[in-house]
Amino acid sequence: MTKYRIGIIGAGSMGGTLARHLVKLGHHVSIANSRGAESLTELAAGIGATPVFVVDAAKGKIVILAIPTKAVPDLPRGLFANLPGSVIVIDIGNYHPELRDGQIDAIDQGMLDSQWVAQQIGYPVIKAFNNIFAKSLLEKGVPRGTNGRIALSV
């Protein structure tokens, strides 16, 4: 299996869970949040990831956005401006206006949230991992052939 440099922006339940799984698969995982690398030292050490600043997490071959939709415009300006076209950016978020994101007019008027995210960051995104809860991702991953195994469409 090919090993990748993967940057995860967002260290909440989904970001941390994905980091844990990706490290176990042998990938080099960097994890960042809005509070800075030093706030992630304990989490990163516990899962084998490297705590970094957001600008450094965006230097991976794969970059995962694991932040609330409302936080996307708060990412550093130009963060994705000079990425090679071969970099894959994955948006794992879901728009929740009633819970945390507030109203985003373009999405409320019919724009797909992934299109809105891509527009905000100026780079295309793939939508994945937004169809499973972090707890399920953490606890229900079982080997191929196990009875009752779940699957996700990507």
Side-chain angles (χ1 to χ4, degrees), residues 103-114:
Q103 300 301 130
I104 299 174
D105 290 340
I107 299 173
D108 291 340
Q109 293 172 10
M111 180 182 277
L112 298 174
D113 62 339
S114 55

Side-chain angles (χ1 to χ4, degrees), residues 121-135:
I121 68 171
Y123 197 88
V125 299
I126 294 169
K127 183 67 97 171
F129 301 109
N130 65 316
N131 55 351
I132 187 168
F133 291 112
K135 183 174 173 59

Side-chain angles (χ1 to χ4, degrees), residues 1-6 21-29 61-62:
M1 181 173 120
T2 304
K3 306 300 180 188
Y4 294 103
R5 281 191 55 215
I6 301 173
H21 284 307
L22 293 166
V23 165
K24 283 182 184 176
L25 291 171
H27 300 290
H28 178 269
V29 177
K61 176 72 174 163
I62 299 169

Side-chain angles (χ1 to χ4, degrees), residues 6-66:
I6 301 173
I8 300 176
I9 299 173
S13 56
M14 279 300 288
T17 298
L18 283 169
R20 181 179 313 277
H21 284 307
L22 293 166
V23 165
K24 283 182 184 176
L25 291 171
H27 300 290
H28 178 269
V29 177
S30 299
I31 192 163
N33 66 13
S34 60
R35 293 181 305 280
E38 52 288 333
S39 70
L40 296 169
T41 304
E42 187 176 329
L43 170 69
I47 61 177
T50 303
V52 297
F53 292 97
V54 169
V55 294
D56 297 314
K59 294 177 181 172
K61 176 72 174 163
I62 299 169
V63 180
I64 299 172
L65 295 177

Side-chain angles (χ1 to χ4, degrees), residues 58-120:
K59 294 177 181 172
K61 176 72 174 163
I62 299 169
V63 180
I64 299 172
L65 295 177
I67 60 176
T69 304
K70 72 176 181 180
V72 171
D74 298 331
L75 291 169
R77 287 250 179 252
L79 184 63
F80 298 95
N82 297 314
L83 287 184
S86 60
V87 173
I88 298 167
V89 177
I90 301 171
D91 169 25
I92 71 165
N94 286 312
Y95 174 53
H96 291 288
E98 70 288 347
L99 294 176
R100 64 162 189 238
D101 293 320
Q103 300 301 130
I104 299 174
D105 290 340
I107 299 173
D108 291 340
Q109 293 172 10
M111 180 182 277
L112 298 174
D113 62 339
S114 55
Q115 285 179 302
W116 184 84
V117 169
Q119 184 180 74
Q120 298 302 303

